[in-house]
Amino acid sequence: MIEDKNQERTPLSHLGEFALIEHLTKNFKINHASTIKGIGDDAAILNFKDKKVVVSTDLLVESVHFDLSYMPLKHLGYKAVVVNLSDVYAMNATPTQMTVSIAVSNRFPLEALEDLYAGIETAAKIYNVDLIGGDTTSSNTGLLISITAIGEVEDKKIVYRNGAKPNDLLVVTGDLGAAYMGLQVLEREKEVYKINPNSQPDLEPYTYIVERQLKPEARKDIIKLMDELNVIPTSMIDISDGLSSEIIHLCKQSKVGCDLYEEKIPLDPVVISVCEEFKIDSTTVALNGGEDYELLFTISQEDYPKIKANPNFTVIGFMKEAEAGMHLVTRSESQIPLKAQGWKNFNA
Ligand code: ADP
Ligand code: MG
């Protein structure tokens, strides 16, 4: 939030387009045998032999999807990669390559793009994905980033959204609502800063939730773990828009209903206390907050012993016949339809 007045600012016009791309991408390494040709020709060439190929794209637009007043560019680069990889993991696949395309206005100096690419590079290393191309162009207003992630998966291990059956268990990884509450804290600090630019925010008590908002992780570990446990979910999706809407996607595509138990929804203690501070219901936050990038999946009951003792997984409900509908079973045991009014337009 506090701008460093001494930082260097090299106008992008000092470099030609090609020198810029070369400068930004020179530290990236190619690690996968499936990358035959990466950056430098008219197109990249890949070879996946007998594997199936997974492709997923996201487009992020400044002031629609991110706010640079509290999102450092390094984090933005990292997050832009992670949210894409999350979609590949949600197919039970392993990401292997990506392309990164950017449109930038001349408001951004070279140093800003260096920060953005530093974040992209960190994510590429941690998640082991090869940067194989992209496009660079100018924009009249802000910054746009589009990333395409490519991954591989054995045919028989692909998990779609549409395979859930009645009586399957509904399982979620990690905990929910933290990224959304982290955003609330950051927005509050931004307002305070507007009024008093000399205020020093103490974000220490909020470290976990702010980090979940600014530096989310995709659940690469879960894909590996499920492989080791010999579990192939019957359906799966990543949680980008909030638990409620992702459950509805699984149910509609699988043509099943579901009971979700409020008391089972995993919440971090920090989320519970910050919800109290903001006077927001923590269940509502978990259901509608979004940007958790956890995995939501269903498994057949016979696979339950395999995941039972594992702290990464929480069984939060089970699937029913479609006619039964989709419900939240509250702590007081009343049933609230998952698409009921008041639950839905939380973000509007
Ligand atoms: P073209 O004119 O054919 O679009 P470019 O000069 O834009 O080619 O790109 C040259 C090479 O650099 C290509 O391999 C392209 O994929 C890659 N590239 C361009 N922009 C980016 C970027 N922002 N990040 C990574 N690679 C890029
Ligand atoms: Mg180009």
Side-chain angles (χ1 to χ4, degrees):
M1 255 185 275
I2 295 122
E3 270 199 43
D4 178 0
K5 301 277 185 316
N6 299 321
Q7 65 194 357
E8 279 193 49
R9 298 177 72 86
T10 312
L12 286 178
S13 54
H14 278 201
L15 292 90
E17 188 192 323
F18 193 75
L20 174 66
I21 297 165
E22 151 68 22
H23 179 76
L24 294 174
T25 62
K26 62 176 188 283
N27 294 327
F28 285 79
K29 304 217 165 30
I30 297 296
N31 285 321
H32 290 278
S34 52
T35 308
I36 308 294
K37 178 75 192 179
I39 294 170
D41 213 306
D42 295 311
I45 301 289
L46 307 176
N47 181 357
F48 287 96
K49 301 193 174 139
D50 50 0
K51 296 275 183 71
K52 289 287 179 285
V53 181
V54 182
V55 180
S56 176
T57 294
D58 269 313
L59 175 61
L60 299 176
V61 179
E62 185 179 351
S63 76
V64 177
H65 302 104
F66 55 89
D67 183 336
L68 290 176
S69 58
Y70 50 70
M71 184 67 147
L73 280 155
K74 214 179 247 182
H75 287 76
L76 178 64
Y78 190 86
K79 182 170 177 176
V81 174
V82 163
V83 304
N84 262 274
L85 302 186
S86 180
D87 284 320
V88 175
Y89 292 121
M91 302 305 290
N92 204 28
T94 304
T96 44
Q97 288 88 7
M98 65 176 166
T99 63
V100 174
S101 298
I102 52 172
V104 266
S105 71
N106 53 18
R107 178 184 124 217
F108 292 86
L110 175 65
E111 288 74 18
L113 293 189
E114 285 175 348
D115 282 350
L116 181 74
Y117 268 73
I120 294 172
E121 195 188 331
T122 303
K125 272 200 197 121
I126 289 175
Y127 289 93
N128 191 23
V129 288
D130 296 347
L131 178 66
I132 56 154
D135 203 16
T136 309
T137 186
S138 54
S139 113
N140 291 334
T141 49
L143 174 66
L144 273 90
I145 310 169
S146 178
I147 296 187
T148 298
I150 298 161
E152 59 181 31
V153 57
E154 271 175 65
D155 209 351
K156 60 178 199 303
K157 289 188 177 164
I158 303 174
V159 179
Y160 296 99
R161 292 179 178 181
N162 66 6
K165 298 276 177 292
N167 299 319
D168 281 357
L169 299 174
L170 182 63
V171 184
V172 72
T173 62
D175 56 76
L176 302 175
Y180 181 82
M181 290 319 292
L183 182 63
Q184 302 317 301
V185 168
L186 289 168
E187 300 250 346
R188 182 177 69 184
E189 294 310 321
K190 185 181 164 182
E191 291 311 310
V192 172
Y193 180 78
K194 269 189 200 158
I195 297 161
N196 177 11
N198 294 321
S199 69
Q200 287 293 327
D202 178 17
L203 293 178
E204 216 276 320
Y206 308 107
T207 305
Y208 175 64
I209 60 174
V210 167
E211 188 156 310
R212 290 275 283 172
Q213 169 59 222
L214 294 182
K215 194 173 174 289
E217 302 291 352
R219 299 308 306 259
K220 173 191 168 99
D221 55 328
I222 297 293
I223 301 310
K224 181 164 168 270
L225 180 61
M226 286 204 287
D227 196 45
E228 287 163 5
L229 295 172
N230 238 318
V231 176
I232 298 179
T234 52
S235 70
M236 183 153 62
I237 190 167
D238 70 321
I239 303 182
S240 51
D241 293 339
L243 181 63
S244 178
S245 96
E246 313 303 2
I247 291 177
I248 291 169
H249 283 307
L250 290 185
C251 285
K252 290 208 163 144
Q253 294 214 23
S254 299
K255 301 190 170 63
V256 293
C258 132
D259 274 355
L260 163 69
Y261 289 87
E262 180 181 22
E263 60 177 9
K264 301 286 185 196
I265 297 173
L267 298 170
D268 188 89
V270 175
V271 171
I272 295 171
S273 68
V274 177
C275 281
E276 281 167 9
E277 186 186 333
F278 277 75
K279 300 192 169 44
I280 309 180
D281 176 52
S282 56
T283 301
T284 310
V285 166
L287 286 175
N288 302 300
E291 294 202 284
D292 295 305
Y293 301 107
E294 295 294 341
L295 292 168
L296 174 73
F297 58 91
T298 54
I299 57 169
S300 65
Q301 300 240 1
E302 64 193 46
D303 277 340
Y304 178 60
K306 299 181 193 167
I307 66 142
K308 196 168 113 189
N310 198 302
N312 287 292
F313 302 120
T314 310
V315 177
I316 53 173
F318 65 96
M319 310 318 261
K320 298 171 109 177
E321 298 293 341
E323 297 68 44
M326 300 169 273
H327 293 97
L328 174 74
V329 183
T330 66
R331 288 194 183 86
S332 56
E333 283 174 38
S334 55
Q335 302 231 346
I336 298 174
L338 268 184
K339 52 181 178 185
Q341 256 216 332
W343 296 103
K344 239 200 137 181
N345 296 322
F346 191 70
N347 274 326

